[in-house]
Amino acid sequence: MTTDPARGPVDPVRADRGGALPPKVQRLVPALTSAIVFGLLLGLVIVAVAPAGHHTRNTGTTMTGMNTSNTATTDAGPFDIELGEFYIKPSSITVAPGQKIELRVRNAGKVEHNLALEGKDPKVIPPGGSTTLTWDDVSKSTQAWCTVPGHKEAGMLLDIRVAGDSAGGHTTEADKSSSDNSAKIDFTAKPAPDWKPYDPTLKPAPGGARHDITLDVEEKEMDVAPGVKQRMWTFGGQVPGPTLRGKVGDVFTVTLVNKGTMPHSIDFHASKVAPNVEMRAIKPGEKLTYQFKADYAGIYYYHCGVAPMLHHIANGMYGALIVDPPDLAPVAQEFVVEQAELYTGPAGQPGDLKKMMAEQADAVVFNGYVNQYVHKPVAVRKGERVRVWVLNAGINENSSFHVIGTIFDTVYKEGSYLLRPDARKGGSQALDLMPAQGGFVEFTLDRDGTYPFVTHKLAPAHKGAMGIFQVGGGQ
């Protein structure tokens, strides 16, 4: 029913024919409106005074996806539970003490999930799949969560509140953040005598136009700072992963072998492929063949793309692929430096996803280890041209690569030269890179001495993103 200022209430069915309501009906409109309003108010009063003993159940989310509440209340179920990236709906349920609980669980996400009471005995649910879970004799408030690494921290947590238990579901030991006991980094500490740094030396592109590469995914405990070990997820057993190199037009065929305990994948930024095919996740024990032609020059990021992606990347699953520009000039020495961040979890465990999502890095590193090229400076020959390829592997920080004591006469960023030696005598002091960007700089070091290199965003530099080029014996 609408109202026309000139004609009064108008029947929408008749309006297109220019017909207003008959005068007799128009006189009834105020009375009908009052009756409707009175009826609605009376209904609200009846609901408000309904007997407390009349039991209703709100499942929070229906199996069709209707979200009516984020809390479900019943005695024993069944509860309809929806899993997705990265949530559980409803996020809490209230149950009567000591009864068997039934849950009908559906995975509405795009990756595998599960739901385990206190993290025990998970049952994998594929995307689009469903299952029924029963839990016996829950007598105190507790929690259930998805046990896939990183998923609980990303929000896949279900509070189970037992009626009459004042403790609630938020105070269990399982829900304490891993940041409470995160490994602490001492930036003044020195590595053990047998420690070896990541070799930053870059080899020339191999001959031939086809490159067949096997990358094993391994999950292993590694040193990330003096006295600090974390369980890293790696390509080729190292962080960063192996640096790959070729020329424009080369074909790369990469076989990814998952030797880990969870799904992993690989995403080459140098490729133009269908992500759902080549970049798909593979389960432990599976292999994937990823083939592409390198049509564009530059230094490109590769990384794991399994959700939550920042968890896999920041735990070490990143590396660089260099496609040489056609006019790349020869130099005396080449190095590769990849900036990334560390978000420590407990000693010997993976990094803390909550800190990753909050952008609270414990350290920023070059090639995976805190201040490693301060502890072991990179030797450079005096007066010879040096090229440093730089990749910002993120996940959150930007980078401003700078070498103290020299000036860059060549700067290449994201596939294009920004500066080259010519009559204008231009110089550059820093290469600025956002996450997933890369390039290179060229320079010479003309005197014996030590030349620090840093990100000139100085807070990250003081948190581990620092190294030294050493010419001669140093000073």
Side-chain angles (χ1 to χ4, degrees):
M1 185 74 66
T2 60
T3 300
D4 186 298
R7 296 182 293 168
V10 177
D11 181 354
V13 176
R14 297 162 55 94
D16 62 341
R17 300 194 298 270
L21 293 173
K24 184 175 181 179
V25 176
Q26 291 188 31
R27 288 194 295 270
L28 291 175
V29 169
L32 289 170
T33 302
S34 298
I36 292 169
V37 172
F38 177 77
L40 290 173
L41 291 174
L42 180 61
L44 291 174
V45 171
I46 291 172
V47 171
V49 299
H54 182 72
H55 184 75
T56 61
R57 180 170 68 90
N58 175 14
T59 62
T61 304
T62 69
M63 295 299 281
T64 59
M66 181 180 294
N67 184 18
T68 58
S69 172
N70 210 29
T71 301
T73 303
T74 190
D75 290 333
F79 295 95
D80 290 338
I81 305 293
E82 180 178 296
L83 311 179
E85 284 79 87
F86 291 97
Y87 64 85
I88 297 177
K89 293 196 297 190
S91 62
S92 67
I93 58 176
T94 300
V95 302
Q99 292 196 18
K100 178 182 286 187
I101 304 169
E102 180 181 345
L103 300 93
R104 299 181 300 208
V105 185
R106 180 173 70 97
N107 184 357
K110 296 182 179 179
V111 299
E112 290 182 344
H113 293 298
N114 61 57
L115 184 62
L117 181 63
E118 297 180 344
K120 301 174 183 176
D121 302 322
K123 183 176 182 179
V124 174
I125 308 172
S130 60
T131 191
T132 298
L133 302 177
T134 56
W135 296 332
D136 294 328
D137 191 20
V138 177
S139 57
K140 64 179 181 179
S141 297
T142 184
Q143 294 173 321
W145 58 85
C146 181
T147 64
V148 177
H151 289 200
K152 174 189 173 188
E153 294 81 358
M156 298 193 70
L157 186 68
L158 174 68
D159 278 318
I160 304 161
R161 298 168 179 168
V162 173
D165 182 2
S166 60
H170 294 280
T171 58
T172 65
E173 188 69 24
D175 191 39
K176 291 185 178 180
S177 168
S178 62
S179 62
D180 291 344
N181 59 345
S182 295
K184 300 299 186 291
I185 295 174
D186 180 357
F187 293 97
T188 66
K190 295 182 179 180
D194 60 349
W195 168 80
K196 293 182 179 180
Y198 184 102
D199 186 359
T201 304
L202 181 63
K203 297 178 181 179
R210 303 187 69 88
H211 309 282
D212 296 322
I213 300 150
T214 297
L215 285 178
D216 291 340
V217 173
E218 301 177 46
E219 301 158 14
K220 58 189 291 188
E221 192 172 294
M222 297 178 63
D223 293 322
V224 297
V228 178
K229 292 183 180 292
Q230 295 279 272
R231 186 164 184 81
M232 307 299 286
W233 307 340
T234 75
F235 292 116
Q238 62 184 62
V239 178
T243 301
L244 311 180
R245 193 171 190 181
K247 295 180 170 61
V248 173
D250 287 2
V251 174
F252 289 82
T253 304
V254 179
T255 301
L256 185 70
V257 183
N258 189 350
K259 295 184 176 180
T261 63
M262 68 193 83
H264 292 292
S265 70
I266 194 165
D267 171 357
F268 283 98
H269 285 203
S271 68
K272 294 180 69 175
V273 298
N276 62 308
V277 179
E278 272 80 1
M279 300 179 192
R280 70 185 184 276
I282 58 172
K283 297 178 181 179
E286 292 184 341
K287 297 181 180 181
L288 175 147
T289 299
Y290 186 136
Q291 187 177 81
F292 63 95
K293 183 180 178 183
D295 289 323
Y296 299 91
I299 176 170
Y300 291 95
Y301 200 15
Y302 70 82
H303 60 80
C304 181
V306 170
M309 185 163 55
L310 77 172
H311 200 205
H312 287 247
I313 296 174
N315 272 318
M317 300 193 76
Y318 62 88
L321 187 153
I322 295 172
V323 182
D324 288 353
D327 58 350
L328 189 65
V331 294
Q333 292 177 279
E334 283 188 282
F335 304 103
V336 61
V337 172
E338 298 176 47
Q339 179 179 308
E341 299 132 40
L342 294 175
Y343 301 82
T344 59
Q349 297 300 312
D352 189 325
L353 178 59
K354 289 184 178 179
K355 291 193 284 189
M356 295 172 193
M357 296 182 72
E359 302 187 30
Q360 297 173 343
D362 293 282
V364 180
V365 294
F366 289 149
N367 293 346
Y369 190 95
V370 170
N371 287 333
Q372 66 177 316
Y373 304 121
V374 174
H375 301 300
K376 183 68 173 179
V378 179
V380 172
R381 294 186 292 272
K382 181 168 63 176
E384 294 188 353
R385 177 164 288 275
V386 175
R387 178 182 297 128
V388 180
W389 294 83
V390 185
L391 175 71
N392 184 2
I395 50 178
N396 294 316
E397 282 286 352
N398 54 23
S399 178
S400 178
F401 185 78
H402 171 71
V403 180
I404 300 172
T406 193
I407 297 171
F408 307 147
D409 62 20
T410 302
V411 177
Y412 179 94
K413 176 183 175 182
E414 288 293 284
S416 181
Y417 284 95
L418 305 183
L419 176 69
R420 303 183 85 167
D422 58 26
R424 293 173 294 179
K425 301 292 291 183
S428 174
Q429 56 204 306
L431 172 60
D432 61 311
L433 301 170
M434 295 299 289
Q437 290 189 318
F440 67 75
V441 295
E442 295 178 9
F443 55 90
T444 59
L445 303 178
D446 299 328
R447 297 179 180 144
D448 287 353
T450 54
Y451 297 79
F453 58 93
V454 299
T455 173
H456 221 293
K457 185 175 181 181
L458 292 179
H462 287 283
K463 293 168 70 174
M466 184 180 296
I468 293 173
F469 289 124
Q470 181 170 303
V471 179
Q475 291 182 356

